[in-house]
Amino acid sequence: MRIYNSKTHKKEEFTPLVPGKVTMYVCGPTVYDQIHIGNGRTFVSFDMCRRYLIYKGYEVTFAQNLTDVDDKIIKRAREEGKEAREIATTFSEAFIEQMKRLGVLAPDIRPQATHEIDAMIEMIEGLIKKNHAYVAPSGDVYFSVRSVETYGNVSGRNVDELLVGARIEENTDKRDPLDFALWKAAKPGEPSWESPWGAGRPGWHTECSAMVHKYLGTPIDIHGGGSDLIFPHHENEAAQASACWDTALANIWMHAGMLRVEGEKMSKSLGNFYTVQEVLDKYPPSALRLLMAQTHYRSPMDFSFERLRGAVAALEKLQTTIQNLRWFATQDTQSADKPLISVVHKNGDNRLEKARKDFEAAMDDDFNTAAALAAIFEVQTDLNKWLEDAQPEDCASRGYACVAADTLEELLSILGIEAVHDSDDDSESENLLTLQEILARYGELCDANTVPKLLQALSSLRDEARANKDYATSDALRDELIAAGYSVEDTAAGTRIK
């Protein structure tokens, strides 16, 4: 497996620090608002990476923080006349809920910044002792950027060039304009904690470094986030780790590309700003994931509702193929001997094995989900063609159909895409009531007491009626099934009810 390392700007063979185990950290949100679909794209991308690593047999320890103390949280709290803690709690819960809806696996470790102050203070003390940080007269604590020779390695930036054309805030407490805050002295009305330098709160860059070291140790295998975090956030994280613990923070740095809406930057002022919540209120989560998977995680993604509707249609076709395969696998007309159905390509490779190999080859190449999806769509087309001529009398064909459905479901699940239609309890209840009415009408013809058995019985009755040229009964059964909300297809294997 090869992974693109943002630090070295090239794909590298992935070799975990501990064989068979992977430590992975992805920067979480600052919880001051609902997350937007750009945030969602980043978290879905790394969820797919994590799922694939698990599929490959790695024991993955995945951590993601919640930044629940920050200038943006404090600002919103003031605007709404609430406590910062209340704002942070509200949107932390909202984030967790939206990730669950989007099918993102919960992290193994989810540290909250406000619960990890001691670890941050310990790190800052270590940096001060090693002369990589200093306490300003105001009580702020700053990191000395020029004290670390490797500063700029993650982002590929030169320290001296950073000042050219940059907007540097005026601050007489700083020894160097590039230095950044590790600890901010308390201000009236702001949340604060006691420290050796007085009451205050941690700087944004301080949080992740301390939490990575506490929960995963340093270095870790993979550190991820959006490409907007490369500088200064990830650069500053790496500098702190190098200065405090004399080690790299991560061996591989991964960054997801930004999301644009119909070619433009997403912005509330442009009216093209969408939250994950409002999109998932209208579209299936798996369709949104499928759309996101169509673009490689490092590439910018262009979002549009037209493309999302296309993903919905593609998802439904995949789900229908799987349903057709599972239905075919249950058919057995017990007819005379039939020749075995060929299930191999001209090159002799089983199409399912080829699909899996192509899928894995794509994912092994820096988690190329777009190419992995192409492998799935290719075998889906092959299977649909195979179903057109396959005969259920051949038990090998029925077994193959079952394995094919399982394979499609498994490959899709690695991308976190559900292969079954979302169900609606109310509509199911309505259909069940209608079917009970059918049972009352045709009850003397079968002893089915469940919907699946009833459908199978009705299908057999209709096939028998057609075979006997009793088209009145056949049509009546079809009409009743259609009225119940089902479609009826006449296939070579008999009646197909969906």
Side-chain angles (χ1 to χ4, degrees):
M1 177 187 293
R2 300 171 71 233
I3 301 177
Y4 184 87
N5 190 344
S6 299
K7 181 178 178 180
T8 60
H9 305 290
K10 64 181 181 181
K11 294 178 184 178
E12 300 176 359
E13 190 66 30
F14 178 57
T15 304
L17 291 160
V18 179
K21 298 185 178 182
V22 176
T23 48
M24 188 173 181
Y25 184 93
V26 173
C27 289
T30 299
V31 284
Y32 71 99
D33 204 347
Q34 291 279 0
I35 62 165
H36 55 68
I37 53 176
N39 304 136
R41 192 270 172 114
T42 295
F43 300 136
V44 165
S45 294
F46 286 107
D47 181 63
M48 292 179 181
C49 297
R50 178 189 180 189
R51 285 172 180 267
Y52 185 67
L53 289 168
I54 294 172
Y55 165 77
K56 292 282 284 187
Y58 290 108
E59 180 184 329
V60 181
T61 302
F62 184 93
Q64 183 177 60
N65 69 301
L66 290 173
T67 297
D68 57 351
V69 56
D70 183 80
D71 292 340
K72 293 178 180 179
I73 297 172
I74 295 169
K75 180 176 181 292
R76 178 147 190 175
R78 286 173 176 167
E79 292 172 348
E80 298 188 8
K82 298 178 180 178
E83 294 289 328
R85 181 177 60 254
E86 183 179 357
I87 294 295
T89 298
T90 296
F91 291 111
S92 291
E93 293 174 352
F95 168 72
I96 293 171
E97 178 190 359
Q98 297 314 317
M99 289 297 96
K100 184 176 180 180
R101 291 182 69 187
L102 199 44
V104 173
L105 298 174
D108 300 302
I109 305 165
R110 199 197 305 269
Q112 293 176 254
T114 56
H115 296 177
E116 309 297 338
I117 301 299
D118 289 344
M120 298 175 203
I121 290 175
E122 182 180 347
M123 185 186 78
I124 295 171
E125 287 181 316
L127 291 169
I128 292 173
K129 289 178 182 178
K130 292 186 174 185
N131 295 318
H132 291 295
Y134 55 92
V135 183
S138 63
D140 293 342
V141 181
Y142 291 97
F143 184 87
S144 178
V145 166
R146 293 181 187 273
S147 71
V148 179
E149 293 182 0
T150 58
Y151 192 87
N153 279 4
V154 173
S155 61
R157 302 194 183 197
N158 181 285
V159 174
D160 293 326
E161 294 175 352
L162 288 173
L163 288 172
V164 179
R167 287 175 23 181
I168 305 296
E169 61 185 74
E170 292 185 9
N171 189 323
T172 56
D173 279 347
K174 290 185 180 183
R175 297 175 183 174
D176 188 300
L178 293 177
D179 293 349
F180 59 88
L182 297 170
W183 187 262
K184 298 181 179 182
K187 295 179 181 178
E190 293 187 357
S192 63
W193 292 263
E194 290 301 321
S195 80
W197 322 285
R201 58 187 174 89
W204 176 39
H205 309 303
T206 311
E207 301 172 8
C208 289
S209 299
M211 290 186 281
V212 167
H213 184 73
K214 176 179 177 179
Y215 287 104
L216 300 177
T218 47
I220 61 173
D221 290 301
I222 298 172
H223 193 311
S227 59
D228 57 326
L229 298 182
I230 297 177
F231 187 87
H233 185 54
H234 286 171
E235 188 66 68
N236 291 350
E237 280 189 61
Q240 291 168 114
S242 175
C244 189
W245 303 300
D246 299 314
T247 183
L249 184 64
N251 280 359
I252 293 179
W253 291 85
M254 295 177 64
H255 294 97
M258 293 294 97
L259 180 144
R260 300 175 69 84
V261 178
E262 296 182 337
E264 295 187 303
K265 183 178 180 180
M266 187 166 58
S267 167
K268 290 182 179 179
S269 62
L270 294 175
N272 64 355
F273 185 92
Y274 306 108
T275 66
V276 169
Q277 181 183 39
E278 62 184 316
V279 172
L280 294 187
D281 283 346
K282 298 178 181 178
Y283 295 91
S286 286
L288 182 57
R289 289 185 71 107
L290 190 150
L291 174 61
M292 291 175 172
Q294 290 174 353
T295 302
H296 189 275
Y297 79 90
R298 281 192 289 116
S299 300
M301 175 187 166
D302 192 46
F303 175 88
S304 72
F305 284 102
E306 181 180 359
R307 289 192 67 204
L308 181 53
R309 285 189 288 271
V312 171
L315 175 64
E316 289 177 347
K317 289 178 181 178
L318 283 166
Q319 292 170 333
T320 297
T321 296
I322 292 170
Q323 286 182 332
N324 288 345
L325 288 165
R326 295 219 177 279
W327 172 82
F328 178 86
T330 64
Q331 305 307 300
D332 184 1
T333 60
Q334 299 180 349
S335 298
D337 292 341
K338 296 284 185 178
L340 290 177
I341 304 300
S342 172
V343 295
V344 296
H345 279 298
K346 292 179 180 179
N347 62 7
D349 291 334
N350 183 294
R351 71 189 75 196
L352 299 180
E353 292 177 1
K354 180 180 184 300
R356 188 180 294 276
K357 288 179 181 178
D358 290 348
F359 179 94
E360 291 182 359
M363 293 298 284
D364 283 344
D365 184 17
D366 193 30
F367 305 103
N368 191 340
T369 56
L373 273 179
I376 292 175
F377 289 136
E378 180 181 357
V379 75
Q380 176 200 14
T381 300
D382 286 348
L383 291 169
N384 284 335
K385 292 178 180 177
W386 176 80
L387 277 168
E388 292 177 1
D389 300 320
Q391 298 294 327
E393 292 86 351
D394 174 20
C395 64
S397 293
R398 295 198 306 279
Y400 177 76
C402 186
V403 173
D406 289 344
T407 300
L408 281 177
E409 284 190 3
E410 182 185 13
L411 296 181
L412 288 168
S413 70
I414 295 169
L415 303 179
I417 297 172
E418 292 291 335
V420 295
H421 289 286
D422 294 332
S423 62
D424 186 302
D425 292 337
D426 292 336
S427 63
E428 283 186 355
S429 297
E430 292 173 3
N431 284 342
L432 179 59
L433 178 62
T434 306
L435 288 169
Q436 287 174 335
E437 293 174 350
I438 297 175
L439 178 59
R441 182 171 300 186
Y442 297 102
E444 70 278 6
L445 300 178
C446 64
D447 60 359
N449 54 15
T450 64
V451 171
K453 289 183 178 179
L454 172 60
L455 289 174
Q456 187 175 8
L458 292 175
S459 176
S460 298
L461 285 171
R462 187 166 183 274
D463 289 340
E464 183 179 348
R466 291 180 67 216
N468 295 330
K469 297 185 179 181
D470 182 0
Y471 299 118
T473 299
S474 172
D475 292 346
L477 285 165
R478 180 198 60 206
D479 293 343
E480 290 289 354
L481 286 164
I482 291 174
Y486 290 82
S487 66
V488 180
E489 298 177 5
D490 295 323
T491 74
T495 300
R496 169 81 203 278
I497 300 173
K498 291 194 296 183

